[in-house]
Amino acid sequence: MKSSRLSHKDEATEKAATEQEPKLKPSRRSFFHRVGLGALFAAVGGQSYGLFRSLVPNVLYEEPRRFKVGLPADFAEGSTFLDDRRVFIFREKNTYYAMSAACPHLGCTVKMVNLSEPQTVEIKGKSVEEKWEFHCPCHGSKFRCEGTNYSGPAPRPLDWVKLEVAPEDGQLVVNMSENVNQNFRLTV
């Protein structure tokens, strides 16, 4: 009887020894189980990232659309181009107005071109003597002296922007986010 007990003990120790041996090859089922869990965790992680990222706003560090450009007396008669702000400021005696230098086609900066000889053109039923015009160097749009497009792919005239005087220090303030009509003049 002892020998049969030993054989049972030997079988049990042998079985325990084989169970403790590392498996050399994972089963197909465990592989797909791991891949499925990995995909689930990746999906939950991606959704969580998107959720928490939406709570943090995107901030654009752009120049303000309303800015001071200087005292009215600092501007010479005629036009002044502010390259860093892409705006033309015009002075005619004691009246001022401003036009954006951004082409309405794709936003290139238009250049003012002085004409060799003044031209008389018909603009909105009035004859106007034109001494300069604006040309877009990117796609060839051309604009009359008051910003009306007459050639090229530009779909509309140049924007006239609001010009005002700051009450605290008397400087001219350009408001690029507020367009005005072409009859707008600021008298100082």
Side-chain angles (χ1 to χ4, degrees):
M1 191 125 187
K2 271 189 173 183
S3 64
S4 67
R5 280 190 184 181
L6 285 176
S7 66
H8 268 316
K9 280 186 178 179
D10 290 338
E11 285 177 18
T13 56
E14 192 176 310
K15 212 181 222 185
T18 57
E19 287 177 0
Q20 290 177 358
E21 288 180 12
K23 292 185 178 180
L24 299 176
K25 200 172 183 185
S27 70
R28 186 175 182 169
R29 179 177 293 199
S30 68
F31 171 75
F32 284 119
H33 180 71
R34 287 183 184 146
V35 168
L37 281 177
L40 177 68
F41 287 133
V44 169
Q47 291 294 324
S48 298
Y49 172 76
L51 173 71
F52 290 116
R53 179 65 184 99
S54 69
L55 299 175
V56 179
N58 292 333
V59 178
L60 296 176
Y61 298 101
E62 294 179 348
E63 295 284 328
R65 303 281 297 160
R66 188 173 186 270
F67 49 89
K68 293 181 180 180
V69 293
L71 294 171
D74 295 343
F75 291 92
E77 188 78 21
S79 68
T80 303
F81 177 61
L82 303 177
D83 191 28
D84 58 332
R85 301 296 189 152
R86 294 180 11 150
V87 66
F88 289 99
I89 298 179
F90 296 91
R91 178 181 180 185
E92 296 170 354
K93 296 183 183 174
N94 63 343
T95 60
Y96 298 85
Y97 60 96
M99 278 196 298
S100 171
C103 180
H105 178 233
L106 291 177
C108 297
T109 303
V110 297
K111 305 295 180 205
M112 178 184 271
V113 177
N114 290 322
L115 300 175
S116 57
E117 293 181 18
Q119 299 176 356
T120 303
V121 293
E122 190 77 22
I123 299 173
K124 295 181 182 177
K126 291 193 309 187
S127 290
V128 176
E129 186 177 17
E130 185 176 59
K131 296 177 184 175
W132 68 84
E133 61 186 17
F134 301 98
H135 294 181
C136 179
C138 297
H139 300 101
S141 293
K142 293 182 181 179
F143 304 88
R144 300 255 182 242
C145 62
E146 88 302 341
T148 304
N149 55 322
Y150 72 90
S151 175
R156 58 184 176 77
L158 294 174
D159 292 330
W160 281 52
V161 294
K162 187 169 186 178
L163 195 61
E164 53 197 8
V165 177
E168 63 273 1
D169 58 3
Q171 291 192 46
L172 289 177
V173 177
V174 177
N175 188 350
M176 297 291 284
S177 59
E178 190 173 341
N179 293 342
V180 294
N181 65 25
Q182 293 181 351
N183 297 326
F184 175 83
R185 298 287 189 275
L186 175 69
T187 305
V188 179

